[in-house]
Amino acid sequence: MADSSFDIVSKVERQEVDNALNQAAKEISQRYDFKGVDASIAWSGERIEMRANSKERVEAVLDIFQSKLVKRGISLKALDTGDPQASGKEYRIGSSLQEGISQDNAKKVAKVIRDEGPKGVKAQVQGDELRVTSKSRDSLQEVITLLKGKDFDFALQFVNYR
């Protein structure tokens, strides 16, 4: 019998992030407490730029954006957010999306699978993803449950289960 496998990836649906950003921008433009504070959120190249005239307001913009991401099923671990920076009369927060699993993080996940996972399960790094194989599908299910129970500092998705 052939081995069963699945891939562990860290990807973000770009369209969902764009939709969350547009919803946040619409809410900011309509909310009464944001009138006259020049609050905004927009793409700036590959980064997301949030602006407002005070530190508290720009943090509130970030909070709105994060709530929209959560509603769309995107993990906040995929969002790398900086601290508020003063720039003239306004404050800015820059955020970027983390995609792909780095070599170090892939090694951490593989070590968890090797140490705590069922016997006969193999994990190998393939670029920015991790392939997990086993003869038993039940063992693969155990690995998925194990990894969902761990708190990594990056988002994980499980794809190509076969």
Side-chain angles (χ1 to χ4, degrees):
M1 184 174 133
D3 285 356
S4 300
S5 68
F6 68 89
D7 294 334
I8 302 171
V9 296
S10 182
K11 292 194 180 350
V12 176
E13 187 74 34
R14 181 78 178 204
Q15 185 62 49
E16 290 295 327
V17 174
D18 201 37
N19 290 343
L21 188 128
N22 291 335
Q23 285 179 341
K26 186 174 183 181
E27 182 175 325
I28 290 163
S29 70
Q30 293 176 346
R31 271 183 40 177
Y32 179 75
D33 57 337
F34 282 110
K35 295 284 187 228
V37 297
D38 296 330
S40 67
I41 181 170
W43 286 105
S44 174
E46 287 294 310
R47 294 179 57 80
I48 298 163
E49 190 81 30
M50 292 159 264
R51 300 173 183 207
N53 65 356
S54 74
K55 184 177 178 182
E56 292 77 24
R57 290 282 179 232
V58 78
E59 288 171 344
V61 170
L62 174 63
D63 188 48
I64 291 170
F65 180 55
Q66 287 176 337
S67 70
K68 300 300 180 189
L69 286 174
V70 169
K71 284 182 182 174
R72 295 202 152 267
I74 297 171
S75 173
L76 295 181
K77 292 178 181 177
L79 191 67
D80 183 25
T81 305
D83 293 326
Q85 302 289 325
S87 174
K89 292 183 178 179
E90 69 181 6
Y91 282 81
R92 297 180 183 182
I93 295 179
S95 291
S96 59
L97 299 171
Q98 293 179 328
E99 291 195 286
I101 301 175
S102 70
Q103 292 290 331
D104 291 339
N105 289 338
K107 287 177 184 174
K108 285 180 195 172
V109 173
K111 182 170 176 24
V112 167
I113 293 170
R114 202 171 42 251
D115 293 346
E116 301 175 32
K119 299 283 183 242
V121 176
K122 296 183 188 85
Q124 60 193 106
V125 179
Q126 296 181 334
D128 62 351
E129 58 186 48
L130 198 67
R131 165 115 349 130
V132 181
T133 56
S134 174
K135 294 200 181 303
S136 164
R137 286 180 168 237
D138 291 340
S139 295
L140 294 180
Q141 290 289 341
E142 288 178 42
V143 170
I144 290 174
T145 306
L146 171 72
L147 293 177
K148 283 184 178 178
K150 295 288 180 187
D151 186 31
F152 294 105
D153 57 348
F154 51 95
L156 293 178
Q157 292 88 32
F158 307 100
V159 296
N160 297 336
Y161 185 83
R162 45 180 158 230

